[in-house]
Amino acid sequence: MTDQKTLNGIDVPALDAALKTVGAQPAAAKAPKSSRVRWQSGLKFKVQVRNHAFLVDEPTHLTGDDTSPNSMEYVLGAYGACLATGFVLNATKRGIHIENMEVAVESTQDNSFKFLGINDEGHPGFDLVTAKLYVQADADEQTIKELWDRTLDSSPVANSLSREVRLKSEVQVF
Amino acid sequence: MAKNGLPLYPTTVVGSWPRPAYLLDALRKHNRGQMGWKEFNAIADRAVLEAVEYQEEAGLDIVSDGEQRRDNFYSFVVEKLDGVRLMSLAEIMDVVEDKASFEAILKAADAPAWAIHNPTVVGKVKPKMRLALDEYQFLRKHTQKHIKVPLPGPYILTRSMWVKGITDKVYRSQEELAADIVDILRDELIALRDAGCDFVQFDEPVLTDVVFNRAVKERTFMCASMSESSGDPQKELLLATRMMNSITEGVEGVRTGVHICRGNWTRQEVSLLKGSYEPLVPTMMGMDIDQLVLEYATPRAGELGAFAHHPKQKEIGLGVANPRSDDVETVDSIVERVKDARQYFEPEQIFLNPDCGFGTFAERPMNPADVAYKKLAAMVQAANELRKAA
């Protein structure tokens, strides 16, 4: 059921209230996060984030069991999901009804062989990631494009991929 | 004279005609459940009459209803059959294990999963109403011309409507489903014959997929479940032949045909399949039908020499107009094509038609009605010249 308070399956007054509450706490802008990755066996891992868990595996041609996506596929999925989330959020804030929406994401890597130790050229990271939005919504094309630009600009995952991120690490042997 | 009182070199269409805007609007409402079948049909009546008027005006000898009541040439069966539901790929991908090959279809089509629909068997398939008899009866009341009624072929229906993870919960095997589909199509053919229909054409475009595509186990542009086929092209072709012959066996008094093309969903010729009919000729010759309705207006189809080893065995519906181009074929070029065909077919066996429909998919017409009309008119002019010279 849809009522006047609900748009795109989101309780609009609750969303407004939540954004107000969060916005009143400047420290929350840093949005600290943590995850823990536990080795299962072979190339299979269990990731825990808050009270959620998901598996990471490699495809069979890389001697995994292909029970789950691999890490790069999760990044790709996370990018698409982040854009989708941002688009729905922005559209809802603007009062736009979305009938259907999909984001298709594709990527290539500079040299995935480096990760596998086959050779040492270049780097194994993404060198191109493309995202395409398919949407049916009660808004003209110009408005949709503005929303999409805003979505790309404000996407945490898009910014994490396109900006330099400081990576720190350490080791403790038991 | 060709058979049944038709002139030499009879002219006709493959089936579909571009839908006018008001019909598309009604179709969308109907598909969204906002307009009932009866109300939609009343609007489609007007569109059918307009489509026929174009064909009669162009001078065709055999007309169709332009498939105006159909969303596309095969998915319309969801309206007519119990046990079949039009499912979006989004719904299908939630259920099937092999999601990756459906993703490949979406990439190739550059489309979202919600926008591509596949008629899917979700229950025991039974006729809810006749597939096309109503279309024929309406048309019969409004034209004196011979009438062609296109029906989806048994092979495309069996293969496309089988989705593993859904259909196998209802049918133990694809053979069981094939038997039901054959029964339904045979009943329809007999009903159309008894009602006086002149020509029933079975559309089997995916047979070209079986022989030309990279691998028969890959899903294709219109056959979502090809990967559930045997994977062996020869077995698939044999199955297609057996099903067709079970439908037509002993049914006399109506011209039957099979239409095989290489896709008609884009104007980008490079995206469509390419290759001679040669590997399909033994299959076509093994089918107990009168006419092969084939595309020969573009080089993609190869040469008519494919019939060199099987000359004059069946009628040919010779494709002489490209439904996907702006340019209207010249009368001379059509006449030359027919002269080529006469090496392998008797003049009495040659019918002229475009390569495929002008609006196979309602939402993706390949040409507007005025261009389609001009192409048909050129075809008729060429037929008149050929008759004069005969």
Side-chain angles (χ1 to χ4, degrees):
Chain A
M1 283 291 286
T2 304
D3 56 44
Q4 287 177 328
K5 285 167 56 177
T6 304
L7 181 63
N8 303 324
I10 295 170
D11 182 330
V12 178
L15 174 66
D16 288 344
L19 295 180
K20 240 176 233 168
T21 306
V22 174
Q25 305 167 58
K30 281 286 177 191
K33 290 179 176 51
S34 62
S35 68
R36 186 169 298 272
V37 180
R38 288 186 287 123
W39 181 44
Q40 303 294 285
S41 72
L43 299 176
K44 206 180 290 178
F45 305 87
K46 185 176 269 185
V47 182
Q48 257 173 248
V49 181
R50 291 188 282 127
N51 291 325
H52 307 289
F54 54 88
L55 292 174
V56 180
D57 198 353
E58 290 293 331
T60 48
H61 72 271
L62 294 175
T63 73
D65 289 332
D66 203 21
T67 55
S68 306
N70 70 17
S71 305
M72 286 297 263
E73 290 163 337
Y74 275 109
V75 176
L76 204 64
Y79 178 49
C82 185
L83 296 179
T85 307
F87 186 82
V88 172
L89 189 66
N90 285 310
T92 306
K93 283 166 76 178
R94 293 268 302 263
I96 294 168
H97 168 71
I98 299 171
E99 184 71 31
N100 275 305
M101 196 269 278
E102 263 176 49
V103 177
V105 187
E106 288 179 48
S107 69
T108 53
Q109 287 166 246
D110 182 64
N111 176 25
S112 67
F113 287 178
K114 185 164 183 173
F115 172 67
L116 301 170
I118 295 171
N119 64 39
D120 213 25
E121 290 156 22
H123 68 86
F126 289 132
D127 61 356
L128 179 67
V129 181
T130 56
K132 181 162 184 174
L133 170 74
Y134 298 98
V135 64
Q136 268 181 336
D138 292 342
D140 59 35
E141 197 170 333
Q142 180 62 29
T143 307
I144 296 286
K145 283 183 173 161
E146 280 168 22
L147 278 177
W148 184 236
D149 286 345
R150 161 84 191 142
T151 300
L152 290 165
D153 189 51
S154 62
S155 158
V157 178
N159 279 276
S160 300
L161 288 170
S162 61
R163 290 173 192 273
E164 199 170 312
V165 179
R166 286 176 297 131
L167 294 173
K168 288 165 64 176
S169 74
E170 52 186 288
V171 176
Q172 189 172 348
V173 180
F174 275 80
Chain B
M1 294 282 280
K3 277 190 251 174
N4 302 334
L6 286 165
L8 205 53
Y9 304 113
T11 52
T12 185
V13 284
V14 170
S16 63
W17 190 256
R19 277 66 157 181
Y22 66 84
L23 180 63
L24 284 177
D25 189 46
L27 182 65
R28 286 175 201 137
K29 283 183 183 152
H30 175 60
N31 287 343
R32 285 199 297 261
Q34 295 163 349
M35 183 183 281
W37 178 238
K38 212 172 162 185
E39 194 185 344
F40 168 74
N41 252 326
I43 293 168
D45 284 351
R46 180 183 149 199
V48 169
L49 296 180
E50 288 170 5
V52 174
E53 199 179 338
Y54 273 114
Q55 295 172 64
E56 288 188 340
E57 191 71 24
L60 293 190
D61 302 300
I62 306 169
V63 299
S64 81
D65 80 341
E67 302 182 16
Q68 300 291 287
R69 301 174 204 281
R70 304 179 180 182
D71 185 37
N72 71 45
F73 72 102
Y74 75 111
S75 71
F76 75 97
V77 300
V78 297
E79 204 72 60
K80 310 286 182 95
L81 298 175
D82 274 329
V84 184
R85 193 158 79 78
L86 200 59
M87 292 179 77
S88 72
L89 284 202
E91 290 176 281
I92 291 172
M93 285 167 91
D94 281 344
V95 182
V96 299
E97 275 180 30
D98 184 13
K99 302 176 199 313
S101 54
F102 282 98
E103 175 59 28
I105 294 178
L106 291 174
K107 258 192 207 176
D110 186 17
W114 83 72
I116 294 189
H117 293 84
N118 186 63
T120 304
V121 170
V122 297
K124 172 82 175 163
V125 179
K126 283 182 286 194
K128 193 158 59 179
M129 57 178 108
R130 286 287 179 195
L131 291 179
L133 187 65
D134 55 336
E135 296 176 351
Y136 169 74
Q137 286 169 331
F138 178 80
L139 194 53
R140 185 71 288 165
K141 280 188 225 158
H142 294 92
T143 184
Q144 300 302 311
K145 298 275 186 180
H146 285 67
I147 293 175
K148 175 193 271 193
V149 172
L151 288 174
Y155 182 80
I156 188 175
L157 281 186
T158 303
R159 287 300 187 226
S160 68
M161 299 202 303
W162 181 279
V163 176
K164 196 178 173 186
I166 299 173
T167 310
D168 53 359
K169 293 195 167 80
V170 185
Y171 281 91
R172 279 173 301 183
S173 68
Q174 291 198 50
E175 287 68 27
E176 219 176 81
L177 173 63
D180 279 354
I181 287 171
V182 162
D183 285 348
I184 289 165
L185 290 174
R186 182 176 167 83
D187 278 355
E188 193 68 22
L189 174 64
I190 291 169
L192 285 164
R193 187 269 316 266
D194 292 348
C197 181
D198 307 280
F199 191 167
V200 175
Q201 170 190 290
F202 293 94
D203 295 331
E204 289 287 23
V206 292
L207 293 183
T208 52
D209 263 316
V210 172
V211 293
F212 300 144
N213 228 343
R214 295 172 301 280
V216 74
K217 286 186 78 67
E218 288 180 17
R219 287 184 173 82
T220 59
F221 63 94
M222 66 176 86
C223 201
S225 302
M226 288 293 281
S227 73
E228 303 311 329
S229 71
S230 69
D232 177 344
Q234 290 314 314
K235 270 191 191 169
E236 295 302 300
L237 296 178
L238 192 62
L239 172 72
T241 307
R242 279 187 186 149
M243 282 195 285
M244 186 65 79
N245 291 348
S246 301
I247 291 167
T248 58
E249 190 185 1
V251 183
E252 302 292 335
V254 58
R255 177 176 269 110
T256 53
V258 63
H259 169 57
I260 304 174
C261 67
R262 295 161 182 73
N264 195 39
W265 73 97
T266 173
R267 282 180 140 227
Q268 306 295 320
E269 290 288 320
V270 289
S271 302
L272 301 169
L273 296 177
K274 185 180 169 186
S276 162
Y277 279 109
E278 203 156 356
L280 281 169
V281 169
T283 302
M284 295 194 277
M285 292 303 159
M287 286 185 175
D288 186 15
I289 42 101
D290 301 306
Q291 188 173 122
L292 308 169
V293 182
L294 306 177
E295 50 179 355
Y296 269 109
T298 74
R300 280 189 305 105
E303 290 305 318
L304 280 148
F307 292 95
H309 298 297
H310 301 83
K312 302 172 182 178
Q313 292 186 16
K314 290 194 187 296
E315 292 175 349
I316 184 166
L318 185 68
V320 289
N322 180 355
R324 298 169 299 275
S325 65
D326 295 326
D327 297 334
V328 176
E329 288 70 17
T330 63
V331 172
D332 285 350
S333 71
I334 297 171
V335 168
E336 283 309 306
R337 205 62 179 140
V338 173
K339 284 181 182 168
D340 284 349
R342 284 204 304 233
Q343 296 176 68
Y344 312 104
F345 297 90
E346 297 288 359
E348 294 76 17
Q349 294 177 311
I350 301 174
F351 287 48
L352 305 189
N353 45 251
D355 273 2
C356 198
F358 288 100
T360 303
F361 299 90
E363 298 280 359
R364 250 183 286 180
M366 290 297 114
N367 251 314
D370 60 326
V371 177
Y373 165 78
K374 285 178 192 160
K375 284 174 178 271
L376 296 186
M379 216 170 69
V380 169
Q381 207 184 325
N384 286 335
E385 290 201 6
L386 286 158
R387 287 167 194 158
K388 268 188 235 158

